[in-house]
Amino acid sequence: MKVYGVTGWKNAGKTGLMERLVAEITARGFSVSTVKHAHHTTDVDQPGTDSFRHRQAGAGEVLLASPHRWALMAELRDAPEPPLEALLARLSPADVVLVEGYKTAPHPKIEAHRAETGKALLSAENNSVRAIASDAPVESPLPRFDLDDTGAIADFILADLGLVMAAPSEAASGDLTPPRLRDDCFAMPQGVAWVPVNEALSRLKSVLRPVTGTETCATHAARGRVLAETAVARRSNPPRPNSAVDGYGFAHEATGEGVQRLPLVAGRAAAGQPFEGAVPAGHAVRILTGAILPEGVDTVVLEEDCAVNATHVAFDGPAKLRANTRKAGEDVTEGSPALPAGHRLRAPDLALLSALGLGEVTVQRKLRVGVLSTGDEIVPSPAEPALPHQIWDANRPMLLSLAEGWDYAPVDLGHVRDDQALIATRLDTAAKECDVILTSGGASAGDEDHVSALLRSQGTLSSWRIALKPGRPLALAMWNGTPVFGLPGNPVAALVCALIFARPALSLLAGAGWTEAQGFTVPAAFSKRKKPGRREFLRARLDAEGRAEVFASEGSGRISGLSWATGLVELPDEAVEIAPGSPVRFLPYEGLGLR
Ligand code: AMP
Ligand code: MG
């Protein structure tokens, strides 16, 4: 199910906007459910109502029903409030769930804002806010809609969710490509000098959204693909109650304490060979693991706990009711959501989808990631000779294989010399073939930095001077509607910038949502003093004691250090003094999708 939120301060017009959006989106043929969250008492807390009285008296759950609707109310009493996810799982499938409130939850949101209610909440508090619906201009880099322009807001939400904007009849007709990103999406506010890493990340997170469109894919071929829709179970798992062991099955009711001797019926129940007919009470049947429980059987005793002859089985009672059996649907019930949209499928997910009868799934089209190298000194391939002033292209094979390892479709855009006209021609073709372009080299602001010069003059460039080592400026631009990440030429810096910035950004573009780098704290095996003001990443690996050792040289030209390492140590923006044993954050390559 696709979830979209409406947030805002009190009296900012949230409920009115919700109401109009529900009407608008259902009118377009989508089914809509809603969630309303309140910090205070709500409709059903009005004292004196019948259901209130039931609950006051101590009922755990109250089902309130009438010919018009029913509502199941669960009393939390001293239990903690469940997270939104857990509550969403209780809703029946719908195309869109609109959520009012829950402003800190990670789903995408639109923020309602009225000039009179004061400043907008915005990304400072929550960078999942995608746009503002306001009755007056607001200072913000996000798109703004008029609070009353429900049609435009609904268009934006449906596009942001990767759903259709047109009538549902057209929706059924084929794969859809969502609208392109805005040309000025990477613009930084005026006067920003050095951008801290976290701020750069949260800006990327708030301006990017899925760009791929959807297609169907056979489940067996779907590893690495991103679900575009909730996968809903076609059938329960298990579909019928069955036996968890090899043993003997019978009706619990007809057994008791002490030694039980039950006559055996002829035949047996096995997986794939169900027992025909019923087992009379007081009788037992031979049953094997995975076999459907025959009629009359609700309990199974393990064969190791039985004595058997040709006609009878005996065991020590009492047996526990339903022992060694599995209930129908105890794993997943038919019609329930099995995996959410945005989930990237792994091997176990293919097992789950197959078990639930899903032979194909709706997935995001693979993100096409173009990789281009620039520089007069670069020789495209080590299969060609290089003069002493030339170097072989190290970045392109690295970035192409990163993209492939992240389960995208890599597009080799080759190499171009430091010539703006040539770079422009190559980017023109690339923008048509790719969803996103990674370039390396020429990204700074010097004389020979032709990529940034070109993007500045002809694209829409925002050079982000990120407070990061290694990694000089990261150039971010739109070229004919396609985002371009201008990575540093230096392979060490190119890899760090790709792992830290491109990886989560690409994941968002691909419909899989933002991904945080996974790291853990380990003791350092090194000493280092670091000044405040920028984040640092060191090439590192764990020694035999699980301590992080770092590569002997921090020189950013040392490509061998990237291979020596099995991950990165991340040092915070602040000053730190590290001695052997100090805790440091280690980001293993695997957690960054590098393999
Ligand atoms: P630049 O960002 O173009 O100033 O390049 C910085 C350094 O990285 C220079 O030493 C370049 O020669 C080197 N470099 C640029 N591109 C590549 C590449 N594709 N492979 C290896 N080294 C590169
Ligand atoms: Mg260069």
Side-chain angles (χ1 to χ4, degrees):
M1 275 191 298
K2 313 265 188 180
V3 180
Y4 218 91
V6 171
T7 50
W9 294 111
K10 197 167 159 52
N11 297 327
K14 290 193 296 281
T15 308
L17 179 59
M18 283 283 292
E19 188 177 28
R20 293 191 300 278
L21 284 173
V22 173
E24 177 76 29
I25 296 174
T26 43
R28 295 186 191 193
F30 295 96
S31 58
V32 179
S33 296
T34 68
V35 175
K36 156 82 194 177
H37 185 248
H39 291 292
H40 43 80
T41 56
T42 61
D43 317 19
V44 292
D45 297 304
Q46 296 307 316
T49 61
D50 294 358
S51 72
F52 182 88
R53 289 167 63 185
H54 293 195
R55 285 176 283 137
Q56 280 291 95
E61 285 191 329
V62 175
L63 184 67
L64 180 59
S66 78
H68 306 294
R69 61 189 61 83
W70 62 265
L72 179 62
M73 289 178 275
E75 294 305 300
L76 291 175
R77 302 196 196 281
D78 292 326
E81 192 183 348
L84 176 59
E85 275 166 11
L87 296 171
L88 288 175
R90 299 191 152 259
L91 293 177
S92 309
D95 297 315
V96 181
V97 182
L98 290 176
V99 177
E100 180 179 350
Y102 282 109
K103 64 176 190 277
T104 56
H107 60 266
K109 302 175 189 75
I110 187 138
E111 184 181 322
H113 176 255
R114 280 215 184 94
E116 70 203 39
T117 50
K119 67 171 186 30
L121 287 167
L122 280 189
S123 33
E125 171 148 13
N126 187 332
N127 49 33
S128 56
V129 173
R130 302 299 180 91
I132 300 185
S134 158
D135 62 356
V138 187
E139 208 186 304
S140 157
L142 299 179
R144 184 188 79 91
F145 297 96
D146 199 282
L147 189 53
D148 288 316
D149 194 354
T150 316
I153 301 172
D155 284 347
F156 178 83
I157 292 177
L158 294 174
D160 204 10
L161 289 174
L163 293 164
V164 247
M165 285 185 287
S169 55
E170 285 176 46
S173 71
D175 301 340
L176 294 142
T177 308
R180 309 195 104 176
L181 298 165
R182 288 159 55 110
D183 267 355
D184 59 353
C185 73
F186 293 128
M188 268 288 178
Q190 291 296 312
V192 170
W194 286 96
V195 189
V197 171
N198 279 356
E199 191 182 325
L201 289 172
S202 63
R203 289 191 66 90
L204 283 176
K205 190 172 174 182
S206 64
V207 296
L208 297 175
R209 54 189 162 69
V211 294
T212 50
T214 65
E215 62 189 16
T216 51
C217 177
T219 298
H220 65 80
R223 195 205 59 76
R225 305 301 300 269
V226 177
L227 281 180
E229 288 173 1
T230 312
V232 175
R234 261 185 56 206
R235 196 170 84 163
S236 293
N237 182 50
R240 301 284 299 277
N242 68 27
S243 178
V245 297
D246 290 350
Y248 294 85
F250 48 85
H252 181 267
E253 207 183 41
T255 61
E257 303 225 1
V259 175
Q260 307 292 306
R261 265 185 211 88
L262 305 181
L264 282 167
V265 297
R268 59 170 205 167
Q273 294 163 7
F275 181 82
E276 309 280 344
V279 175
H283 287 61
V285 64
R286 172 71 171 146
I287 190 164
L288 301 175
T289 307
I292 290 180
L293 300 187
E295 201 185 323
V297 172
D298 57 15
T299 303
V300 175
V301 169
L302 204 60
E303 66 184 10
E304 287 86 337
D305 296 338
C306 296
V308 201
N309 63 21
T311 56
H312 284 74
V313 58
F315 59 88
D316 272 334
K320 214 169 135 211
L321 177 63
R322 281 189 277 278
N324 301 311
T325 66
R326 306 175 181 133
K327 274 197 287 196
E330 70 174 21
D331 183 23
V332 182
T333 52
E334 181 183 323
S336 68
L339 290 170
H343 181 75
R344 198 186 290 274
L345 298 170
R346 306 148 306 157
D349 302 322
L350 305 192
L352 176 61
L353 295 171
S354 302
L356 300 178
L358 298 165
E360 60 179 30
V361 278
T362 307
V363 293
Q364 302 284 353
R365 186 175 49 66
K366 264 196 181 188
L367 189 77
R368 296 162 305 178
V369 182
V371 176
L372 176 67
S373 291
T374 68
D376 283 344
E377 75 281 31
I378 306 293
V379 175
S381 159
E384 297 164 34
L387 295 167
H389 64 278
Q390 295 180 314
I391 58 174
W392 286 294
D393 188 352
N395 289 340
R396 199 158 41 98
M398 173 174 75
L399 296 171
L400 285 167
S401 88
L402 262 189
E404 186 169 26
W406 290 335
D407 292 313
Y408 304 128
V411 180
D412 188 350
L413 302 174
H415 157 259
V416 276
R417 285 194 289 112
D418 284 324
D419 173 322
Q420 289 194 32
L422 291 178
I423 302 173
T425 314
R426 195 68 65 91
L427 288 180
D428 283 344
T429 332
K432 295 194 197 96
E433 292 170 0
C434 307
D435 300 306
V436 57
I437 300 167
L438 308 180
T439 68
S440 70
S444 297
D447 294 350
E448 289 298 321
D449 290 315
H450 301 274
V451 173
S452 48
L454 172 71
L455 294 173
R456 186 170 298 109
S457 64
Q458 290 182 38
T460 36
L461 173 84
S462 301
S463 228
W464 290 13
R465 302 211 300 153
I466 297 170
L468 169 71
K469 181 185 173 187
R472 286 182 305 166
L474 181 65
L476 292 161
M478 295 300 290
W479 189 271
N480 298 342
T482 300
V484 180
F485 283 70
L487 303 171
N490 208 298
V492 177
L495 182 68
V496 169
C497 284
L499 295 178
I500 303 305
F501 296 104
R503 175 174 169 268
L506 266 46
S507 177
L508 202 49
L509 292 170
W514 189 260
T515 38
E516 302 289 345
Q518 282 190 337
F520 49 90
T521 304
V522 297
F526 62 97
S527 306
K528 183 178 163 67
R529 172 179 282 176
K530 171 189 165 299
K531 293 206 200 84
R534 67 178 179 185
R535 181 114 17 135
E536 271 190 51
F537 290 92
L538 309 174
R539 284 149 277 176
R541 67 185 187 190
L542 299 183
D543 66 13
E545 282 84 54
R547 300 177 313 162
E549 51 180 358
V550 293
F551 190 58
S553 161
E554 287 184 21
S556 59
R558 304 284 193 101
I559 305 177
S560 65
L562 293 175
S563 279
W564 172 92
T566 59
L568 302 171
V569 156
E570 179 180 19
L571 302 181
D573 298 357
E574 305 81 57
V576 279
E577 184 148 2
I578 291 160
S582 309
V584 290
R585 188 165 141 83
F586 179 71
L587 310 175
Y589 277 165
E590 286 82 359
L592 296 162
L594 198 159
R595 54 202 169 91

